[in-house]
């Protein structure tokens, strides 16, 4: 168990703390723990690359931690009423579709190479930024209209673009070299 993997596991353990804080209307705590989770993501990635501590386990845990964090925060903020439900459904559905496609490809013996697309990286940045700003606005009581709508629109467009490109890649991957089914 490497240091980056331990940090990633800690980030996973922070998810219920953030959800509890949102559900308890402790937005300052939710924001602070979210910032800590974000810093830990940067630190574990830096350590893994800089000190050659990357591992197969880490390659699976890190995106799992990211998904758990973002999906949980979006669902909690949606239930709390801080973000529209349609954006929650869009963000969560994208991740479910991608994970489902990966599982199907593995079950069928055609595992998809796990390499994030650039649009997916931009999507993650937009989703994290939107969640962070919503939490900050709730924690510190500032209004940020119309920028909330602009950022939410960017999240929606990048989420749709990302899932569309993944679907195209997955369909192409699954359609090549079919083995008589």
């Amino acid at each position: 168990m490497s240091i980056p993997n331990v940090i990633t596991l800690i980030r996973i353990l922070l998810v219920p703390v953030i959800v509890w804080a949102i559900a308890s209307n402790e937005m300052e705590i939710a924001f602070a723990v979210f910032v800590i989770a974000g810093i830990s993501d940067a630190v574990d990635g830096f350590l893994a690359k800089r000190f050659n501590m990357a591992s197969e386990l880490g390659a699976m845990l890190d995106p799992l931690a990211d998904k758990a964090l973002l999906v949980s925060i979006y669902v909690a903020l949606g239930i709390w009423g801080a973000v529209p439900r349609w954006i929650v459904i869009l963000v969560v559905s994208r991740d479910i579709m991608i994970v489902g496609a990966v599982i199907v490809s593995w079950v069928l013996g055609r595992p998809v190479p796990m390499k994030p697309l650039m649009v997916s990286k931009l999507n993650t940045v937009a989703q994290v930024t939107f969640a962070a700003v919503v939490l900050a606005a709730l924690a510190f009581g500032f209004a940020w209209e119309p920028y909330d709508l602009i950022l939410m629109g960017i999240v929606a467009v990048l989420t749709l673009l990302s899932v569309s490109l993944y679907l195209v890649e997955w369909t192409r991957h699954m359609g090549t070299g079919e083995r008589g089914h």
Side-chain angles (χ1 to χ4, degrees):
M1 184 66 71
S2 68
I3 293 172
N5 290 348
V6 170
I7 294 170
T8 301
L9 287 172
I10 291 169
R11 189 164 77 253
I12 292 170
L13 294 174
L14 291 177
V15 170
V17 175
I18 296 171
V19 172
W20 165 83
I22 292 169
S24 302
N25 198 21
E26 297 289 344
M27 296 305 173
E28 297 89 353
I29 294 171
F31 178 72
V33 176
F34 184 72
V35 169
I36 291 166
I39 292 168
S40 77
D41 189 21
V43 169
D44 72 39
F46 171 78
L47 291 174
K49 289 179 181 116
R50 177 79 169 107
F51 297 105
N52 200 24
M53 299 172 107
S55 68
E56 203 171 313
L57 177 62
M60 292 169 68
L61 279 180
D62 191 63
L64 175 66
D66 293 344
K67 297 296 173 218
L69 182 66
L70 281 173
V71 165
S72 297
I73 286 175
Y74 272 80
V75 169
L77 289 173
I79 291 169
W80 202 79
V83 297
R85 288 194 176 119
W86 68 264
I87 196 78
V88 175
I89 293 166
L90 185 62
V91 167
V92 172
S93 296
R94 173 200 173 268
D95 288 344
I96 290 170
M97 284 189 262
I98 290 172
V99 169
V102 168
I103 291 170
V104 166
S105 67
W106 277 56
V107 167
L108 296 177
R110 304 196 40 117
V112 178
M114 300 297 289
K115 61 174 187 162
L117 303 172
M118 179 54 73
V119 70
S120 183
K121 291 179 182 183
L122 293 172
N123 182 50
T124 299
V125 168
Q127 287 180 0
V128 168
T129 302
F130 182 65
V133 174
V134 168
L135 286 171
L138 293 169
F140 305 112
F142 64 85
W144 56 298
E145 294 89 13
Y147 304 108
D148 58 339
L149 295 176
I150 294 167
L151 190 51
M152 191 169 31
I154 291 169
V155 167
V157 168
L158 289 174
T159 301
L160 288 169
L161 187 57
S162 172
V163 75
S164 298
L165 291 175
Y166 273 124
L167 184 59
V168 167
E169 287 296 315
W170 182 80
T171 304
R172 190 175 299 145
H173 172 78
M174 295 304 288
T176 58
E178 199 69 38
R179 291 180 292 209
H181 287 273

Coordinates of all heavy atoms in Angstrom, one line a residue, residues 46-80:
F46 N 0.6 13.9 -7.6 CA 1.9 14.4 -7.7 C 2.9 13.3 -7.2 O 3.9 13.0 -7.8 CB 2.1 15.7 -6.9 CG 3.5 16.1 -6.7 CD1 4.1 16.8 -7.8 CD2 4.2 15.9 -5.5 CE1 5.5 17.2 -7.6 CE2 5.5 16.3 -5.4 CZ 6.1 17.0 -6.4
L47 N 2.6 12.8 -6.0 CA 3.5 11.7 -5.4 C 3.6 10.5 -6.3 O 4.7 10.0 -6.5 CB 3.0 11.3 -4.0 CG 3.1 12.4 -2.9 CD1 2.4 11.8 -1.7 CD2 4.5 12.7 -2.7
A48 N 2.5 10.1 -6.9 CA 2.5 8.9 -7.7 C 3.4 9.1 -9.0 O 4.2 8.2 -9.3 CB 1.1 8.5 -8.2
K49 N 3.3 10.3 -9.6 CA 4.1 10.6 -10.8 C 5.5 10.9 -10.4 O 6.5 10.4 -11.0 CB 3.4 11.7 -11.6 CG 2.2 11.3 -12.2 CD 1.5 12.4 -13.0 CE 0.2 12.0 -13.6 NZ -0.9 12.6 -13.1
R50 N 5.7 11.9 -9.5 CA 7.1 12.4 -9.2 C 8.0 11.3 -8.6 O 9.2 11.3 -8.9 CB 6.9 13.6 -8.2 CG 8.2 14.2 -7.8 CD 8.8 15.1 -8.8 NE 9.9 15.9 -8.3 CZ 11.2 15.6 -8.6 NH1 11.5 14.7 -9.5 NH2 12.1 16.4 -8.1
F51 N 7.5 10.5 -7.8 CA 8.3 9.5 -7.1 C 8.1 8.1 -7.6 O 8.4 7.1 -6.9 CB 8.1 9.6 -5.6 CG 8.5 11.0 -5.0 CD1 7.6 11.9 -4.7 CD2 9.9 11.3 -4.9 CE1 8.0 13.1 -4.2 CE2 10.3 12.5 -4.4 CZ 9.3 13.5 -4.1
N52 N 7.5 8.0 -8.8 CA 7.3 6.7 -9.4 C 6.5 5.7 -8.5 O 6.9 4.6 -8.3 CB 8.6 6.1 -9.9 CG 8.4 5.0 -10.9 OD1 7.4 5.0 -11.6 ND2 9.3 4.1 -11.0
M53 N 5.5 6.2 -7.8 CA 4.7 5.4 -6.9 C 3.3 5.0 -7.5 O 2.4 4.6 -6.8 CB 4.5 6.2 -5.6 CG 5.7 6.5 -4.9 SD 5.4 7.6 -3.5 CE 5.6 6.5 -2.1
A54 N 3.2 5.2 -8.8 CA 2.0 4.8 -9.5 C 1.8 3.3 -9.4 O 2.8 2.5 -9.4 CB 2.0 5.2 -10.9
S55 N 0.5 2.9 -9.2 CA 0.3 1.4 -9.1 C -1.0 1.1 -9.8 O -1.9 2.0 -10.1 CB 0.1 1.0 -7.6 OG -1.0 1.6 -7.0
E56 N -1.3 -0.2 -10.1 CA -2.5 -0.6 -10.7 C -3.7 -0.3 -9.8 O -4.7 0.1 -10.2 CB -2.4 -2.1 -11.0 CG -3.3 -2.5 -12.1 CD -3.1 -4.0 -12.5 OE1 -1.9 -4.3 -12.7 OE2 -4.0 -4.7 -12.6
L57 N -3.5 -0.5 -8.5 CA -4.5 -0.2 -7.5 C -4.9 1.2 -7.5 O -6.0 1.6 -7.5 CB -4.1 -0.7 -6.1 CG -5.1 -0.4 -5.0 CD1 -6.4 -1.1 -5.2 CD2 -4.5 -0.7 -3.6
G58 N -3.9 2.1 -7.5 CA -4.1 3.5 -7.6 C -4.8 4.0 -8.8 O -5.6 4.9 -8.8
A59 N -4.4 3.3 -9.9 CA -5.1 3.7 -11.2 C -6.6 3.4 -11.2 O -7.4 4.0 -11.9 CB -4.4 2.9 -12.4
M60 N -7.0 2.4 -10.3 CA -8.4 2.1 -10.2 C -9.1 2.9 -9.1 O -10.2 3.4 -9.2 CB -8.6 0.6 -9.9 CG -8.2 -0.2 -11.2 SD -8.1 -2.0 -10.8 CE -9.7 -2.4 -10.5
L61 N -8.3 3.1 -8.0 CA -8.9 3.8 -6.8 C -9.1 5.3 -7.1 O -10.1 5.9 -6.6 CB -8.0 3.7 -5.6 CG -8.1 2.4 -4.8 CD1 -7.1 2.4 -3.6 CD2 -9.5 2.2 -4.3
D62 N -8.2 5.9 -7.8 CA -8.2 7.4 -7.9 C -9.5 7.8 -8.7 O -10.2 8.7 -8.2 CB -7.0 7.9 -8.6 CG -6.9 9.4 -8.6 OD1 -6.8 10.0 -7.5 OD2 -6.9 10.1 -9.7
P63 N -9.8 7.2 -9.9 CA -11.0 7.6 -10.5 C -12.3 7.3 -9.7 O -13.3 8.0 -9.7 CB -11.0 6.9 -11.9 CG -9.9 6.0 -11.9 CD -9.0 6.3 -10.7
L64 N -12.2 6.1 -9.0 CA -13.3 5.7 -8.1 C -13.6 6.8 -7.0 O -14.7 7.2 -6.8 CB -13.0 4.4 -7.5 CG -14.1 3.9 -6.4 CD1 -15.4 3.6 -7.1 CD2 -13.6 2.7 -5.7
A65 N -12.5 7.3 -6.4 CA -12.6 8.3 -5.4 C -13.2 9.6 -6.0 O -14.0 10.3 -5.4 CB -11.2 8.6 -4.8
D66 N -12.7 10.0 -7.2 CA -13.2 11.2 -7.9 C -14.7 11.0 -8.1 O -15.5 12.0 -7.9 CB -12.5 11.4 -9.2 CG -11.0 11.8 -9.0 OD1 -10.7 12.2 -7.8 OD2 -10.3 11.7 -9.9
K67 N -15.1 9.9 -8.7 CA -16.6 9.7 -9.0 C -17.4 9.7 -7.7 O -18.5 10.3 -7.7 CB -16.8 8.3 -9.7 CG -16.1 8.3 -11.0 CD -16.7 9.2 -12.0 CE -15.8 9.3 -13.3 NZ -15.7 10.6 -13.8
A68 N -16.9 9.0 -6.7 CA -17.7 8.9 -5.4 C -17.9 10.3 -4.9 O -19.0 10.7 -4.4 CB -16.9 8.0 -4.4
L69 N -16.8 11.1 -4.9 CA -16.9 12.5 -4.4 C -17.8 13.3 -5.2 O -18.8 13.9 -4.6 CB -15.5 13.1 -4.4 CG -15.3 14.5 -3.8 CD1 -15.6 14.5 -2.3 CD2 -13.9 15.1 -4.1
L70 N -17.7 13.4 -6.5 CA -18.5 14.2 -7.3 C -20.0 13.8 -7.3 O -20.9 14.6 -7.1 CB -18.0 14.3 -8.7 CG -16.8 15.3 -8.9 CD1 -16.2 15.2 -10.3 CD2 -17.2 16.7 -8.6
V71 N -20.2 12.5 -7.5 CA -21.6 12.0 -7.5 C -22.3 12.3 -6.2 O -23.4 12.8 -6.1 CB -21.7 10.5 -7.9 CG1 -23.0 9.9 -7.6 CG2 -21.3 10.3 -9.4
S72 N -21.6 12.0 -5.1 CA -22.2 12.2 -3.8 C -22.5 13.7 -3.5 O -23.6 14.0 -3.0 CB -21.2 11.7 -2.7 OG -21.1 10.3 -2.8
I73 N -21.6 14.6 -3.9 CA -21.8 16.0 -3.7 C -23.0 16.5 -4.5 O -23.8 17.2 -4.0 CB -20.5 16.8 -3.9 CG1 -19.6 16.6 -2.8 CG2 -20.8 18.3 -4.1 CD1 -18.2 17.2 -2.9
Y74 N -23.0 16.1 -5.8 CA -24.1 16.6 -6.7 C -25.4 16.1 -6.2 O -26.4 16.8 -6.1 CB -23.8 16.2 -8.1 CG -23.0 17.2 -8.9 CD1 -21.6 17.2 -8.7 CD2 -23.6 18.1 -9.7 CE1 -20.9 18.2 -9.4 CE2 -22.9 19.1 -10.3 CZ -21.5 19.1 -10.2 OH -20.8 20.1 -10.9
V75 N -25.5 14.8 -5.7 CA -26.8 14.2 -5.2 C -27.1 15.0 -3.9 O -28.3 15.4 -3.8 CB -26.6 12.7 -5.0 CG1 -27.8 12.2 -4.2 CG2 -26.5 12.0 -6.3
A76 N -26.2 15.2 -3.0 CA -26.5 15.9 -1.8 C -27.0 17.3 -2.0 O -27.9 17.8 -1.4 CB -25.3 15.9 -0.8
L77 N -26.3 18.0 -2.9 CA -26.7 19.4 -3.2 C -28.0 19.4 -4.0 O -28.8 20.4 -3.8 CB -25.6 20.1 -4.1 CG -24.3 20.4 -3.3 CD1 -23.2 20.9 -4.3 CD2 -24.5 21.5 -2.2
G78 N -28.3 18.4 -4.8 CA -29.6 18.3 -5.4 C -30.7 18.1 -4.5 O -31.8 18.8 -4.5
I79 N -30.5 17.2 -3.5 CA -31.5 16.9 -2.5 C -31.7 18.2 -1.6 O -32.9 18.5 -1.3 CB -31.1 15.7 -1.7 CG1 -31.2 14.4 -2.5 CG2 -32.0 15.6 -0.4 CD1 -30.6 13.2 -1.9
W80 N -30.6 18.8 -1.3 CA -30.7 20.0 -0.5 C -31.4 21.2 -1.2 O -31.9 22.1 -0.6 CB -29.3 20.4 0.0 CG -29.3 21.2 1.2 CD1 -29.4 20.8 2.5 CD2 -29.1 22.6 1.3 NE1 -29.3 21.9 3.3 CE2 -29.1 23.0 2.6 CE3 -28.9 23.6 0.3 CZ2 -29.0 24.3 3.0 CZ3 -28.8 24.9 0.7 CH2 -28.8 25.3 2.1

